[in-house]
């Protein structure tokens, strides 16, 4: 099939890698180069990098509502448009172009978690299961019928790992859906509106840690975090990003020493770093002080004066 692919982040790039091996991807649409990660240089999106490596034409329009852009897309004569985390709304004029419609790889088990941050919201809500659906796009946001779903257990996975897992499942689900669509054997399922839930984008600072919330909430913040939305806090007056953390179990050798730690206090015991919350204690495993490289908690503690005193404090930002 002649396919136009639209996507931007790593999730979409993984899908494009598989898609281009099975179909004729005649063009890729992605968001424009942007500052990503450290530094101030413009960096191409992961999808653009994959496309350029495969000699696929790349377009980066600022809008798809311009008539000239719609005409350019129409001239590509796609059988289908495949979308994965593109980051731009497709107007009806675009949805109407391909004869087999526009298929979206959405990282949730629809109708649950419509919107921009389904993976992060599944983690933050403590869900046991996450998934991906192939949805036929329409004017409403993530409201279209779906034909294939694949699920997996979250089981403590962080957002990066879960995103990779769902990208793999989404790629093969998309290939199956395209086969069914091409041969006219697809079965579309209408979403139950009464079961729909919303997954709004993660706001700046939303995943910051806070001693006034529970240990479980703080751990989920870390689990759902990433480079774009880090889990930050202040320890001994130093801004840090917590990269990984763990709960403290009752059979842990540090449980007796750490379990009485007061809210907002820091404990360094047995070369391990603990933070006190409103209802208990959790452990920091990996951390990145502002302006420095990633390090384990022990290395960070070595640079904090009087860390063993039990009087060091931590707070939200």
């Amino acid at each position: 099939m002649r396919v136009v692919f639209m996507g931007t982040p790593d999730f979409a790039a993984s899908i494009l890698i598989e898609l281009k091996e099975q179909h004729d991807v005649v063009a890729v649409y992605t968001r424009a180069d942007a500052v990503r990660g450290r530094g101030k240089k413009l960096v191409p999106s992961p999808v653009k990098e994959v496309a350029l490596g495969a000699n696929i034409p790349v377009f980066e329009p600022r809008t798809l509502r311009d008539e000239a852009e719609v005409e350019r897309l129409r001239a590509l004569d796609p059988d289908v448009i495949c979308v994965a985390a593109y980051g731009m709304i497709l107007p009806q004029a675009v949805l109407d172009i391909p004869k087999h419609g526009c298929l979206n790889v959405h990282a949730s088990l629809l109708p649950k978690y419509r919107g921009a941050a389904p993976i992060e919201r599944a983690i933050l809500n403590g869900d046991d299961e996450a998934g991906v659906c192939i949805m036929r796009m329409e004017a409403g946001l993530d409201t279209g019928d779906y034909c294939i779903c694949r699920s997996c257990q979250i089981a403590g996975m962080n957002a990066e790992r879960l995103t990779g897992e769902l990208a793999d499942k989404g790629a093969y689900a998309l290939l199956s859906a395209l086969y069914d669509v091409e041969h006219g054997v697809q079965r579309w399922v209408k979403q139950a509106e009464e079961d729909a839930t919303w997954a709004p984008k993660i706001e700046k600072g939303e995943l910051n840690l806070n001693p006034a919330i529970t240990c479980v909430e703080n751990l989920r913040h870390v689990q759902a975090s990433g480079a774009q939305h880090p889990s930050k806090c202040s320890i001994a007056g130093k801004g840090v990003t917590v990269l990984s953390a763990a709960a403290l179990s009752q059979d842990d050798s540090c449980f007796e020493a750490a379990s009485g730690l007061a809210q907002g206090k820091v404990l360094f015991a047995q070369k391990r770093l603990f933070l006190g919350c409103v209802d208990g204690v959790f452990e920091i495993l990996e951390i990145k002080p502002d302006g420095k490289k990633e390090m384990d908690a022990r290395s960070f503690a070595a640079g904090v004066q009087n860390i063993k005193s039990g009087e060091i404090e931590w707070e939200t930002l």
Side-chain angles (χ1 to χ4, degrees), residues 106 110-116 141-143 191 193 196-199:
H106 184 70
L110 292 169
K112 193 173 187 179
Y113 297 137
R114 296 173 178 174
L141 183 59
D142 299 332
T143 58
Q191 293 189 43
E193 285 296 323
T197 60
W198 180 241

Side-chain angles (χ1 to χ4, degrees), residues 33-275:
D33 296 359
V35 176
R36 296 181 174 90
R38 300 178 66 182
K40 297 183 179 180
K41 293 183 178 180
L42 290 177
V43 178
S45 74
V47 161
K48 182 177 179 179
E49 291 183 338
V50 171
L52 293 178
N55 295 315
I56 300 171
V58 176
F59 301 109
E60 303 168 86
R62 296 182 62 182
T63 178
L64 289 174
R65 299 187 181 278
D66 181 77
E67 183 58 33
E69 288 294 343
V70 174
E71 285 304 317
R72 180 167 67 175
L73 182 53
R74 186 177 286 116
L76 292 170
D77 192 27
D79 295 316
V80 63
I81 294 175
C82 296
V83 182
Y86 180 33
M88 190 180 296
I89 299 295
L90 273 59
Q92 192 63 48
V94 169
L95 297 176
D96 292 339
I97 289 175
K99 63 182 179 181
H100 291 301
C102 300
L103 302 185
N104 182 32
V105 185
H106 184 70
S108 82
L109 297 173
L110 292 169
K112 193 173 187 179
Y113 297 137
R114 296 173 178 174
I119 293 174
E120 293 86 349
R121 296 299 171 190
I123 292 173
L124 290 172
N125 289 336
D127 291 0
D128 294 324
E129 186 180 47
V132 62
C133 286
I134 307 302
M135 181 194 70
R136 181 167 56 186
M137 298 178 72
E138 58 182 31
L141 183 59
D142 299 332
T143 58
D145 299 346
Y146 60 89
C147 62
I148 294 178
C149 291
R150 296 286 185 267
S151 64
C152 69
Q153 296 298 305
I154 294 177
M157 285 193 284
N158 62 21
E160 180 180 8
R161 185 179 169 193
L162 183 56
T163 297
E165 180 80 12
L166 294 180
D168 289 342
K169 291 183 179 296
Y172 291 105
L174 177 61
L175 292 176
S176 295
L178 288 174
Y179 178 89
D180 290 349
V181 166
E182 185 176 13
H183 292 86
V185 297
Q186 77 282 359
R187 295 182 179 180
W188 297 104
V189 178
K190 188 173 182 63
Q191 293 189 43
E193 285 296 323
E194 64 272 18
D195 296 330
T197 60
W198 180 241
K201 69 178 182 178
I202 303 296
E203 298 294 341
K204 183 178 181 180
E206 183 179 347
L207 301 183
N208 285 351
L209 305 184
N210 190 333
I213 63 176
T214 67
C215 291
V216 168
E217 288 176 296
N218 277 310
L219 288 171
R220 288 175 183 170
H221 281 198
V222 176
Q223 191 182 351
S225 68
Q228 188 173 5
H229 299 289
S231 284
K232 299 181 71 67
C233 66
S234 173
I235 299 178
K238 298 180 179 181
V240 300
T241 297
V242 177
L243 303 174
S244 63
L248 182 64
S249 63
Q250 291 188 6
D251 58 356
D252 192 293
S253 61
C254 282
F255 181 78
E256 185 174 348
S259 59
L261 188 63
Q263 176 182 331
K265 294 293 185 179
V266 178
L267 175 69
F268 185 61
Q270 297 185 27
K271 300 178 181 179
R272 296 163 63 186
L273 188 61
F274 302 94
L275 302 185

